[in-house]
Amino acid sequence: MHCDNWFVLGAGSMGCLWAASLASIGITPRLIVRAGGDQQRVALRLTVAGQTQQFSVEAVCARLINAPVDRLIVCTKARDTLAALHSIEPFLSDNCHILLLQNGMGSQEMVAKMFSNHTVWAASSTDGAYLMAPFHVCHAGLGETWIGPLTGTVTDGFDELLDNFRLTVRYHADIEQKLWEKLAVNCCINGLTALFDCRNGELLDGDVKQSWLDKLVDETALVLQGMGLPATSLHDRVYGVCQITADNISSTCQDARLGRATELPFINGFLIDKAAALTIPVPHHRTLMAQLEAAGIH
Ligand code: PAF
């Protein structure tokens, strides 16, 4: 019997994936949606390997929340997170646990600072999902998700996610390190695939793209070292991801193709800021961002 009120903020692919996954273990969350209108029950559909399950969940916009928010999973884009959280702030219960699932870094730090009276957790996930239709998500890539508190040493708050959940979720005491590990790989791959409008595997072309990739890896490794984080295996990890996801179009390249704002300010933008604070030169990251900007990719 779960007495806490669970909410998922954001009804994009990750929001629908997490809401459906919770519903599948009997914790039916309310889904906080952006659009106005009344509270409504929606048929949330989850497709995995051609099989579709359906769950009835309540979709509610921020101003109509009618229960204290005890457990909150935030699935908005990094750039929208603070504003979305502020819109529901009055409804957060005193001991609310907030789990942030944003790509990149920077937004988590801001939330942890501004919501310091709550327990803020972050997640680093490799699950892949896309919306087939509104409220219909396809769980296309079964990955794993690390979760851990951003501040303090709390270990419980999301226990239900760690055992017999339909997503693979693990606890990590140093979630910031996990976020950095993913960020470092994304810093090397994502912007470059958007600039060259290519698949991940095409970066290993033995030519211009690959030599640029190598330079980004070297600079990223220097920043990791400056942060006191392990950096020696970065080259292998980046090449490994390019090989394993060779046919994938990175999330950033997809955003660029659709003319959408990318997460680059929270990926390479974050790295460049950290490098500046550590006085580590990252000229190739800066050139990459400048060329993307000139190409209208933000
Ligand atoms: O952002 C993405 O698309 C993914 O994190 C990655 C690893 C680049 C694979 O496409």
Side-chain angles (χ1 to χ4, degrees):
M1 165 89 179
H2 305 279
C3 306
D4 288 332
N5 294 306
W6 288 69
F7 286 75
V8 172
L9 179 56
S13 54
M14 276 297 153
C16 288
L17 176 69
W18 277 74
S21 299
L22 284 167
S24 77
I25 58 158
I27 304 176
T28 305
R30 292 173 178 87
L31 194 51
I32 306 170
V33 295
R34 200 197 294 247
D38 289 338
Q39 204 163 318
Q40 49 164 327
R41 287 209 85 80
V42 295
L44 180 61
R45 282 178 293 159
L46 169 67
T47 296
V48 190
Q51 302 288 321
T52 301
Q53 284 177 283
Q54 186 168 308
F55 307 94
S56 172
V57 303
E58 209 174 277
V60 62
C61 64
R63 69 187 168 82
L64 292 178
I65 293 174
N66 58 2
V69 178
D70 301 313
R71 300 283 177 271
L72 178 66
I73 301 182
V74 183
C75 299
T76 50
K77 292 267 183 203
R79 66 180 69 232
D80 302 325
T81 301
L82 261 190
L85 271 169
H86 280 310
S87 74
I88 63 163
E89 197 171 357
F91 307 104
L92 303 181
S93 70
D94 286 346
N95 51 9
C96 177
H97 285 250
I98 302 171
L99 175 60
L100 303 171
L101 259 117
Q102 282 57 57
N103 275 335
M105 290 179 80
S107 64
Q108 301 92 339
E109 228 171 82
M110 287 191 271
V111 172
K113 215 175 274 170
M114 302 205 69
F115 289 80
S116 56
N117 46 340
H118 299 287
T119 311
V120 181
W121 297 59
S124 175
S125 180
T126 55
D127 275 306
Y130 63 91
L131 282 185
M132 300 170 82
F135 303 112
H136 184 182
V137 63
C138 175
H139 190 187
L142 275 57
E144 63 176 10
T145 302
W146 291 95
I147 66 168
L150 273 176
T151 45
T153 52
V154 63
T155 53
D156 54 351
F158 288 105
D159 293 354
E160 293 87 342
L161 307 179
L162 301 174
D163 247 341
N164 297 317
F165 187 38
R166 73 158 292 283
L167 302 172
T168 305
V169 180
R170 300 200 174 96
Y171 178 87
H172 201 286
D174 188 355
I175 195 64
E176 213 179 319
Q177 185 188 326
K178 281 286 171 199
L179 292 173
W180 266 106
E181 277 173 18
K182 186 173 177 205
L183 183 99
V185 171
N186 288 150
C187 271
C188 302
I189 297 176
N190 288 38
L192 214 48
T193 55
L195 187 65
F196 287 105
D197 191 22
C198 69
R199 291 176 189 274
N200 296 348
E202 290 174 72
L203 294 181
L204 303 179
D205 65 348
D207 198 1
V208 178
K209 296 188 195 77
Q210 191 168 339
S211 62
W212 202 344
L213 182 71
D214 289 341
K215 295 279 191 318
L216 293 175
V217 172
D218 290 346
E219 291 178 7
T220 307
L222 286 178
V223 179
L224 289 180
Q225 276 162 13
M227 298 286 304
L229 294 165
T232 41
S233 62
L234 185 61
H235 185 272
D236 291 347
R237 279 197 290 130
V238 169
Y239 271 49
V241 171
C242 286
Q243 281 154 358
I244 291 164
T245 66
D247 289 334
N248 287 18
I249 297 170
S250 79
S251 50
T252 307
C253 184
Q254 286 182 46
D255 285 338
R257 283 185 181 182
L258 294 169
R260 291 195 300 229
T262 72
E263 312 244 60
L264 288 170
F266 297 89
I267 301 175
N268 299 68
F270 181 84
L271 183 95
I272 289 170
D273 287 349
K274 285 289 168 195
L278 294 164
T279 61
I280 296 170
V282 286
H284 290 85
H285 282 283
R286 288 184 184 279
T287 306
L288 173 64
M289 288 297 268
Q291 293 203 9
L292 285 162
E293 188 75 30
I297 300 167
H298 310 289

